[in-house]
Amino acid sequence: MKRLGRVGLVLGVLTLTGTLGCEGKADPAKEARAKATNHLNKKEFKLAIEQYELAIQADPNQEKTWKEKAFAHQQIGEHDKAAVALLKYVEVTKDPAVKRDELYRVVADEFRQAGQPEEAEKALLKVMETKNTPEEKAELYRVIADTYLKAGNLDAAEVKFNEALKLNAKDEASLGWLAAIYSKRGGTENKDAVAVPEHLDKALAYLDQVIALNPEYPFTYINKRIVMAKYVMHEQKMMQIAQLEAKETKKKAKVDEALARAAEHQKRAEDFSKQYEELTQKFSEAQKKFKEKQAAQQAAAAAAEQAAPAK
């Protein structure tokens, strides 16, 4: 996401002149903005904001006032107010050169930093209106999903990643993030967390799709190995519980049933352990090829740069 300063909101020393109206009367909007500019140049952002608000009361359609007010809010961490001011700027500006797509992305980032993912989504949907290809729209849904992820809302993030997949079923990034969501739900982030097999299964299914699309990317194997490790621990724990049940019961039928479950969990733990080792090997092989490919690309880029004619 781009910051305000990267889309034309970095302000240099501003000089405002002509604060009189067309009939020689003082123009309160221009006077207030001139005072705001002086405060802004001194980095007195709160005082600048006060004057910008007075300028807006006098004339709410001053384009630069809204833009500069947004910048001042950003400098003191008032990201929600920066976003609102920038939205107003987009609304009132008549400048055909203004890149609204970029500004809406900045607005979204400000709302994200303010902890308002729903408002960030609204801004990004404005950008969506200008996109035509499924790939471009899928990319924006990923950005929206990421905003919800950063806010800790896994459910909303999952919905948006699935929207991306509706547009592009081979969207590797969305599949990978869905795998991460279900891996987290499955308990992989904490060794003491209770494993949730149905979530781990979904994580594995998504990871397998990613591997099918890009078998050369090494780190997918690491992510899958993490899920496998959690499954090994889960099956070992379930085996121990079943063995304990067998020891504590006196009825032969229940002893046999508990031992059968223990044997089944032991077999599953061994199978997952075997897959874990296989993934370790696949990761090593993929990582070696990945590094070799990177080195070749860097060498080619360096050779191309060296061969390019001097400017």
Side-chain angles (χ1 to χ4, degrees):
M1 288 282 188
K2 297 182 179 179
R3 301 280 290 172
L4 285 171
R6 298 179 187 172
V7 291
L9 292 184
V10 171
L11 306 176
V13 176
L14 300 176
T15 303
L16 295 182
T17 59
T19 60
L20 297 180
C22 59
E23 298 179 358
K25 296 180 181 179
D27 185 330
K30 289 185 177 180
E31 286 186 341
R33 184 168 168 243
K35 292 178 182 179
T37 299
N38 290 332
H39 288 305
L40 199 65
N41 291 333
K42 296 175 184 177
K43 299 185 178 181
E44 297 169 346
F45 299 116
K46 289 186 177 181
L47 293 174
I49 289 167
E50 291 176 4
Q51 292 300 321
Y52 283 130
E53 289 174 351
L54 291 175
I56 287 166
Q57 288 175 19
D59 182 1
N61 294 315
Q62 285 192 342
E63 299 178 16
K64 290 183 179 180
T65 301
W66 286 110
K67 184 169 69 169
E68 293 163 14
K69 184 173 185 289
F71 177 82
H73 282 301
Q74 188 201 45
Q75 299 310 299
I76 56 176
E78 294 180 344
H79 297 290
D80 54 339
K81 293 179 180 178
V84 170
L86 193 53
L87 278 173
K88 190 64 180 179
Y89 167 70
V90 175
E91 178 186 327
V92 302
T93 185
K94 295 179 176 62
D95 185 353
V98 168
K99 296 179 179 179
R100 283 173 168 76
D101 281 14
E102 290 188 10
L103 291 178
Y104 279 126
R105 285 179 181 267
V106 176
V107 168
D109 191 45
E110 293 302 310
F111 276 129
R112 178 191 64 77
Q113 292 184 74
Q116 298 181 26
E118 294 83 3
E119 295 302 317
E121 179 181 358
K122 290 177 184 177
L124 288 167
L125 289 176
K126 290 286 187 181
V127 181
M128 188 84 71
E129 293 172 4
T130 68
K131 302 303 178 184
N132 297 315
T133 69
E135 291 78 14
E136 289 176 322
K137 293 181 178 180
E139 183 269 334
L140 279 171
Y141 273 120
R142 286 201 307 273
V143 176
I144 294 170
D146 182 63
T147 300
Y148 283 110
L149 272 183
K150 287 182 169 64
N153 190 337
L154 298 185
D155 292 341
E158 180 183 3
V159 170
K160 301 307 172 183
F161 281 127
N162 277 313
E163 289 294 333
L165 288 173
K166 288 177 184 178
L167 293 162
N168 180 10
K170 295 182 179 181
D171 186 357
E172 182 184 332
S174 291
L175 290 167
W177 278 111
L178 285 167
I181 288 172
Y182 276 98
S183 179
K184 182 174 183 176
R185 287 173 175 167
T188 60
E189 290 192 343
N190 186 337
K191 66 180 182 64
D192 297 322
V194 176
V196 185
E198 55 266 36
H199 292 330
L200 296 176
D201 287 339
K202 281 195 171 185
L204 291 173
Y206 281 122
L207 288 166
D208 284 339
Q209 290 184 67
V210 176
I211 290 171
L213 290 170
N214 188 2
E216 295 182 353
Y217 187 66
F219 300 104
T220 309
Y221 297 107
I222 288 291
N223 293 334
K224 188 175 180 180
R225 194 174 67 166
I226 290 170
V227 179
M228 287 294 177
K230 188 68 180 182
Y231 240 138
V232 170
M233 293 172 62
H234 170 69
E235 294 298 337
Q236 289 174 341
K237 183 176 181 180
M238 297 302 294
M239 178 187 70
Q240 292 167 0
I241 291 172
Q243 289 173 339
L244 185 60
E245 288 179 12
K247 287 182 180 179
E248 292 180 345
T249 187
K250 295 181 179 179
K251 295 183 179 180
K252 185 177 184 306
K254 288 189 175 181
V255 170
D256 291 343
E257 188 272 336
L259 289 175
R261 277 190 290 113
E264 182 179 347
H265 287 301
Q266 182 179 10
K267 184 178 183 307
R268 284 174 60 82
E270 290 171 352
D271 288 343
F272 283 127
S273 294
K274 182 179 178 182
Q275 291 181 60
Y276 180 93
E277 295 302 324
E278 290 172 352
L279 286 167
T280 301
Q281 181 62 32
K282 288 180 179 179
F283 165 72
S284 298
E285 294 170 357
Q287 187 182 41
K288 181 180 178 180
K289 292 180 181 178
F290 185 74
K291 287 182 176 180
E292 289 173 351
K293 185 176 181 180
Q294 279 189 319
Q297 289 173 341
Q298 290 171 358
E305 184 178 355
Q306 191 173 15
K311 293 183 179 179

